[in-house]
Amino acid sequence: MLVLGLCLGLVGVLQAQPRQAPTLRAVRLTGSLELDGHVEEAAWRQAPAATDFWQREPHDGQPATERTEVRVLYDDAALYVAFVCYDRESDRILRRLARRDRVVPADWVGVLIDSYRDRKTAFAFLVNAAGTKADFLILNDGNDEDFNWDALWEARVAMRPDGWSAEFRIPFTALRFSQADTLRWGINFGRIIGRKNEQVFWAYVPRASGGFVSRFGTLEGLEGIRPPRALLLTPYVVAGGTHWSRDLTPRYLDPISPTFRLGGDVQYNLTNNTILNLTVNPDFGQVELDEVVLNLTAFETFYPEKRPFFLEGTSIFQTVGTGDDGDLRTYLFYSRRIGRQPQGYYSLPDTGDAEDWRVEENPAAVPLLGAVKLTGKTANGWAFGLLDALTQRTYATFAHVNGARQRIRTEPLTNYTVARMQRELPAPGSYVGLIGTATWREAGAVRQAYTGGLDWRWNPWDYGWSPKDSFLSAAVSARTHRPG
């Protein structure tokens, strides 16, 4: 009887789970839409609703315990998504404010869009019941996430007697997709019910097997989308001065030290899925600081990239590796080395009396003179990236107690280049790729360095095994350098 009961329970679970990925049709918006989170406009009632949601947590494969309705509209400029989250205990909805991209315990809804239709990359947009937003990239079919990616989009939420609701406006310029008269995207909708620790999806994603983006449903009905080519200019001018008090001014410094910087960034969409980025003398003064890390090992600490120029499309350069474990990966390109601390930052004059010298000037980071980056993806599955950056030579200036001054070069003029190509394979999350890097320095022990790599991932079993065993993947690389 026990065996029979277990068999009947297993049959019930299998019957509850959806057998195929669902499809939802988007409807073109003909009038105006007020983005206030209330989902009251008549246009929403004209769009079909996605209503069948399935648990991933805590009871994998079972129907959601609360009803959710999602509808999609679009116009020439943006995609609009509305959530109505019904809740029989609406007074227990968790509403918690937090900083952007902090997914704190709360009630959340999210839109996950595979606009490339490559079954491994998706753009994620989330908002919680308090209005906190989060966005990030999903890479390698869910094996990686990049929370440093940010886009310009809007979301509003509203409370209801029977739950809460949310409205999204996602500009097409925030997405990347091929140009066509009719588009079909991969899409999924998610909801988190905070007090129940319940996570549900419209397109069921089994917890026990691999794959994530490859299991999305389909959004169809997108027709005649011709978004304008976006051009973003970000110039800046910084002027300032440091006034030293008479008691603190070293005798080798002027009482007033002026500073002046001029530069800017340019981003231009050559096509809907090809982006050109340019930067000249960029200012990274407003970039978020790195978290403090205590590293007692002999190995370098890898910090996440947060500088705006390097964030757009750089995921294409970071996919070289083997397996799902980041420790097994071979990183041939690490963007934080561009503009790093000068290698000779702690150098001192070689005169034998170092205690008599005092630092007058010593830049803590190598200035980036300029850089260009081209990233994109073709309709037939080729992804590509090209980056070239030039960094300035730096000097440390010292003053001796006898009035003498000396300059020491701490970093030579350096050029960095990286090129990447990647081809999708038919199996989910599978690809083959090539990468090459080149570094040139005007001086130093190693003036030229080159690396190249071939990597691939192949999932012939369509996640029939466990996530770690369902991939055949490898990376092969070669390095060479030329001494000075």
Side-chain angles (χ1 to χ4, degrees):
M1 292 299 293
L2 178 59
V3 175
L4 178 60
L6 291 175
C7 291
L8 291 176
L10 179 59
V11 170
V13 170
L14 294 177
Q15 289 178 344
Q17 295 179 0
R19 297 180 179 272
Q20 61 183 3
T23 299
L24 182 67
R25 176 169 290 276
V27 174
R28 177 172 280 275
L29 179 64
T30 56
S32 61
L33 186 68
E34 183 179 359
L35 200 73
D36 55 11
H38 287 287
V39 195
E40 295 177 342
E41 290 83 357
W44 289 119
R45 295 192 290 271
Q46 299 174 5
T51 57
D52 294 331
F53 281 71
W54 305 88
Q55 292 188 50
R56 182 179 172 95
E57 298 281 355
H59 303 296
D60 191 24
Q62 291 298 301
T65 61
E66 304 289 349
R67 180 175 173 83
T68 306
E69 295 180 358
V70 184
R71 292 176 171 85
V72 178
L73 301 173
Y74 72 97
D75 58 21
D76 291 333
L79 194 73
Y80 302 86
V81 182
F83 282 80
V84 178
C85 303
Y86 296 96
D87 198 317
R88 288 165 291 186
E89 299 179 273
S90 59
D91 58 328
R92 299 184 63 190
I93 293 173
L94 293 183
R95 306 174 62 196
R96 292 181 178 173
L97 286 172
R99 296 178 60 185
R100 178 167 175 161
D101 290 342
R102 292 289 182 91
V103 185
V104 296
D107 280 51
W108 290 83
V109 292
V111 185
L112 317 175
I113 304 174
D114 176 15
S115 55
Y116 281 129
R117 192 65 171 170
D118 63 1
R119 305 182 68 194
K120 70 185 186 72
T121 308
F123 302 87
F125 306 90
L126 284 70
V127 68
N128 71 9
T132 297
K133 295 166 51 179
D135 54 4
F136 56 93
L137 291 178
I138 302 174
L139 309 170
N140 292 331
D141 202 7
N143 290 305
D144 295 298
E145 297 173 346
D146 182 4
F147 275 89
N148 294 308
W149 177 79
D150 288 313
L152 296 175
W153 57 284
E154 300 175 77
R156 298 290 186 273
V157 299
M159 302 305 296
R160 303 161 48 107
D162 55 356
W164 67 290
S165 56
E167 290 179 327
F168 293 73
R169 183 185 184 275
I170 303 171
F172 289 127
T173 53
L175 306 172
R176 304 290 175 259
F177 54 92
S178 300
Q179 187 68 57
D181 293 334
T182 301
L183 297 173
R184 288 167 56 89
W185 292 348
I187 198 165
N188 208 351
F189 310 110
R191 178 183 177 185
I192 295 176
I193 304 175
R195 70 180 184 281
K196 298 181 180 181
N197 291 324
E198 183 176 326
Q199 182 184 101
V200 300
F201 288 98
W202 172 63
Y204 173 55
V205 183
R207 185 178 60 197
S209 64
F212 187 74
V213 180
S214 58
R215 299 183 180 274
F216 281 12
T218 301
L219 180 67
E220 57 184 23
L222 301 172
E223 299 179 351
I225 297 176
R226 297 290 187 273
R229 294 185 180 181
L231 175 62
L232 179 63
L233 301 175
T234 312
Y236 81 91
V237 176
V238 176
T242 302
H243 180 269
W244 300 86
S245 67
R246 184 178 303 275
D247 296 334
L248 297 178
T249 304
R251 59 177 177 272
Y252 53 83
L253 282 181
D254 295 329
I256 298 180
S257 301
T259 59
F260 179 80
R261 290 178 59 87
L262 174 67
D265 299 328
V266 178
Q267 178 176 305
Y268 181 60
N269 291 20
L270 298 176
T271 65
N272 293 331
N273 57 359
T274 302
I275 311 298
L276 177 66
N277 292 84
L278 300 170
T279 187
V280 177
N281 194 25
D283 175 32
F284 298 132
Q286 303 301 319
V287 175
E288 181 181 357
L289 296 177
D290 293 314
E291 296 183 3
V292 177
V293 176
L294 179 62
N295 186 351
L296 300 179
T297 72
F299 303 100
E300 179 181 3
T301 298
F302 279 73
Y303 291 100
E305 184 59 79
K306 298 179 180 180
R307 297 173 293 179
F309 171 80
F310 292 99
L311 287 178
E312 172 65 40
T314 50
S315 60
I316 181 63
F317 302 114
Q318 302 172 356
T319 53
V320 177
T322 61
D324 298 322
D325 188 349
D327 293 337
L328 298 177
R329 295 194 174 184
T330 302
Y331 289 94
L332 297 188
F333 173 64
Y334 176 43
S335 61
R336 289 295 296 267
R337 290 205 178 107
I338 302 175
R340 63 184 175 182
Q341 184 182 76
Q343 295 302 285
Y345 182 74
Y346 295 102
S347 300
L348 292 172
D350 187 17
T351 60
D353 56 348
E355 65 277 2
D356 294 330
W357 292 90
R358 300 181 65 181
V359 178
E360 182 175 305
E361 183 181 1
N362 193 12
V366 179
L368 180 61
L369 293 176
V372 59
K373 179 175 58 178
L374 181 69
T375 57
K377 196 164 192 175
T378 64
N380 57 3
W382 282 99
F384 58 89
L386 176 66
L387 185 148
D388 190 82
L390 180 67
T391 58
Q392 181 179 325
R393 66 177 65 90
T394 58
Y395 294 90
T397 304
F398 298 86
H400 196 270
V401 292
N402 62 12
R405 299 176 66 186
Q406 183 173 343
R407 297 181 74 197
I408 297 176
R409 184 172 57 196
T410 55
E411 188 77 23
L413 184 72
T414 307
N415 190 85
Y416 301 89
T417 303
V418 56
R420 169 73 163 160
M421 293 193 69
Q422 191 180 77
R423 181 68 167 89
E424 296 174 17
L425 298 179
S430 302
Y431 68 86
V432 60
L434 291 170
I435 189 172
T437 71
T439 303
W440 172 88
R441 299 180 179 89
E442 66 174 348
V446 178
R447 296 194 180 185
Q448 300 178 40
Y450 306 94
T451 65
L454 166 68
D455 67 306
W456 67 88
R457 290 180 103 198
W458 184 39
N459 175 29
W461 301 284
D462 196 11
Y463 300 105
W465 292 3
S466 69
K468 289 186 178 295
D469 296 332
S470 62
F471 279 108
L472 298 176
S473 54
V476 180
S477 63
R479 302 171 185 265
T480 183
H481 67 272
R482 182 175 300 175

